[in-house]
Amino acid sequence: MLKLASRFNKFPAYPLADVPVIKRELIARGVDVIDLGAGDADLAPPPATVAALKSAVDIPSMNRYGFQLGLPAYREAIAAWMKKRFGVTLDPFKEIVPLIGSKEGIAHMAFCYAGPGDATILPDPGYQPYIGGTLLAGAEPFTVPLRAENNFLVPFEDIPEDVARRTRIVYLNYPNNPTAAIASREYLLDAIRFCTERNALLVYDNAYSELAFDGYVPPSILELDGAMDIAVEFHSFSKTYNMTGWRIGWAAGNPGAIAALSRIKAFVDTGQFMVVQAAAIAALESHESWVPGNVAAFRERRDALTAALNEAGFDAKAPSASMYLWVPVPGGLSEPFARRALMEQGVVIMPGAALGAGGEGYFRAALTLPPERLRQAAVRLNSLL
Ligand SMILES: Cc1ncc(COP(=O)(O)O)c(C=O)c1O
């Protein structure tokens, strides 16, 4: 009989993993499902990106292995974009590495810096590769509850000394999934100070840096003093350009950490398809002309869902960034509420507890669909109250 490794049993079921199957069954039964579960909007990628993909695939050399170097022009385009957007100067070959979606890079990073006896600090609720990477590396995840009274920030002063001493990685993600919280520069400087004092790597997950509203402009951690010594920032095309399925992103920051991540990755992947890297260059080049329209579409959705949920008896706040609303479950537990939403009303939402015990009492609704569908979802959720 096959015996699973002991580490396997430490992994909980992945949030929403069973939803695609249940959704298919419901649709087959004639249910009109409204899916606000995964952060995977129905919007199209930039046309220039799709065109670049089509023309690059006709070039035979683009169909070969990318290896970790990938397409040099992709690295150079990232460096140019980081300079223009954040004012950060990066060496394209030493301080940037292409990723097959930022998720794999975030998960693999732990192998470089954390092992048995080490601790990592992660937000609870939080994006699952933080805990996944930590467990695969054999280290101990120390989850810190994100609370409304702390503005959903990790309070460094509350971390016990015996954990702080063993901390090798701190994971932070602002604008935050799932709480939609944002972090001030002062807070980020505190995080840099904590990591510098502890010789810990700061993994700064900036997947939502371009989805911000009402004049708010999220920073890069790399803009801040001291960050290049201890931080690596992860970027994704998934949300900014509606390219979730393309699996393309990058990591940038401390050159030692970038070299370490490239080395580990060389043993598990052979680089993203260079055709996708070529298309990603076109996305970066379309940023100024295309992204504002996409952000406007998300803003309209945010406003529609916030108003509709409030009308429906929920206490929803309009986030200043990200593609999520983080809403208290009126007087109840999040998992039974989300289960009822799906089975009784055909609405997929993420129960907060599925993203960690600290998420209990909330649900997350992603702005995946047009305003009209979001309003319908709010009406259906109201009937569960
Ligand atoms: C916080 C956060 N980081 C990273 C990602 C990953 O994006 P990708 O792997 O698609 O680049 C997501 C996607 O949902 C996310 O929510």
Side-chain angles (χ1 to χ4, degrees):
M1 174 142 144
L2 296 173
K3 196 165 174 291
L4 289 163
S6 57
R7 105 170 49 79
F8 182 86
N9 297 316
K10 294 185 179 158
F11 281 76
Y14 200 84
L16 299 180
D18 60 346
V19 164
V21 174
I22 299 174
K23 205 172 135 182
R24 253 187 52 196
E25 286 164 10
L26 290 174
I27 291 169
R29 294 212 311 257
V31 176
D32 171 33
V33 175
I34 304 180
D35 190 346
L36 313 183
D40 193 5
D42 66 340
L43 299 161
T49 309
V50 177
L53 180 97
K54 288 178 181 166
S55 63
V57 79
D58 283 334
I59 304 168
S61 62
M62 296 288 274
N63 290 271
R64 301 181 67 189
Y65 285 128
F67 299 108
Q68 297 310 313
L69 173 65
L71 204 60
Y74 175 54
R75 290 170 172 264
E76 284 159 357
I78 292 165
W81 184 82
M82 293 287 287
K83 177 79 189 164
K84 192 162 187 190
R85 168 68 175 85
F86 300 115
V88 171
T89 305
L90 294 163
D91 181 322
F93 299 97
K94 296 197 173 116
E95 294 170 337
I96 290 172
V97 63
L99 299 175
I100 309 174
S102 64
K103 185 178 191 177
E104 66 89 356
I106 292 167
H108 286 134
M109 195 79 241
F111 286 108
C112 308
Y113 289 95
D118 297 333
T120 70
I121 291 174
L122 28 108
D124 174 14
Y127 189 48
Q128 297 296 289
Y130 313 150
I131 197 161
T134 299
L135 292 175
L136 286 172
E140 180 199 326
F142 184 79
T143 52
V144 182
L146 300 184
R147 304 212 183 284
E149 56 269 28
N150 294 330
N151 298 318
F152 300 110
L153 298 168
V154 172
F156 289 104
E157 60 284 2
D158 291 356
I159 292 167
E161 182 50 34
D162 69 308
V163 175
R165 210 173 358 94
R166 293 182 294 120
T167 296
R168 299 276 62 87
I169 301 178
V170 173
Y171 296 92
L172 288 184
N173 160 228
Y174 297 101
N176 183 253
N177 170 18
T179 68
I182 57 174
S184 68
R185 284 170 189 264
E186 293 67 40
Y187 175 80
L188 297 179
L189 283 168
D190 275 354
I192 292 169
R193 199 170 311 121
F194 178 90
C195 290
T196 306
E197 283 169 10
R198 306 293 175 171
N199 288 323
L201 176 76
L202 177 53
V203 167
Y204 196 72
D205 179 358
N206 216 346
Y208 298 92
S209 66
E210 307 313 301
L211 273 190
F213 315 111
D214 312 326
Y216 174 60
V217 182
S220 163
I221 193 87
L222 303 177
E223 290 173 35
L224 299 170
D225 282 351
M228 276 305 279
D229 296 332
I230 47 91
V232 171
E233 179 162 284
F234 288 81
H235 282 271
S236 170
F237 287 76
S238 292
K239 321 292 169 163
T240 309
Y241 303 100
N242 308 320
M243 288 166 63
T244 49
W246 295 51
R247 314 309 306 131
I248 179 90
W250 74 87
N254 177 269
I258 293 293
L261 180 57
S262 302
R263 167 109 61 109
I264 290 289
K265 275 171 57 59
F267 286 85
V268 287
D269 72 65
T270 315
Q272 174 54 293
F273 190 17
M274 285 191 287
V275 168
V276 172
Q277 297 188 42
I281 297 173
L284 289 172
E285 288 172 350
S286 77
H287 189 270
E288 253 176 29
S289 60
W290 188 86
V291 170
N294 198 47
V295 173
F298 278 107
R299 193 185 50 232
E300 198 189 348
R301 291 171 176 211
R302 173 201 71 165
D303 292 344
L305 186 59
T306 307
L309 283 173
N310 284 325
E311 237 165 78
F314 294 88
D315 179 16
K317 293 195 174 47
S320 47
S322 88
M323 59 181 294
Y324 306 108
L325 266 65
W326 185 239
V327 187
V329 177
L333 295 174
S334 61
E335 275 170 337
F337 181 74
R339 194 60 47 184
R340 281 183 64 214
L342 179 58
M343 304 314 278
E344 296 174 24
Q345 295 298 327
V347 177
V348 184
I349 49 175
M350 174 76 86
L355 297 169
E360 188 51 285
Y362 288 83
F363 70 88
R364 188 192 79 181
L367 303 171
T368 50
L369 295 169
E372 201 35 50
R373 293 293 274 166
L374 298 174
R375 287 189 203 103
Q376 283 173 6
V379 170
R380 292 195 204 175
L381 292 175
N382 166 267
S383 61
L384 298 173
L385 299 183

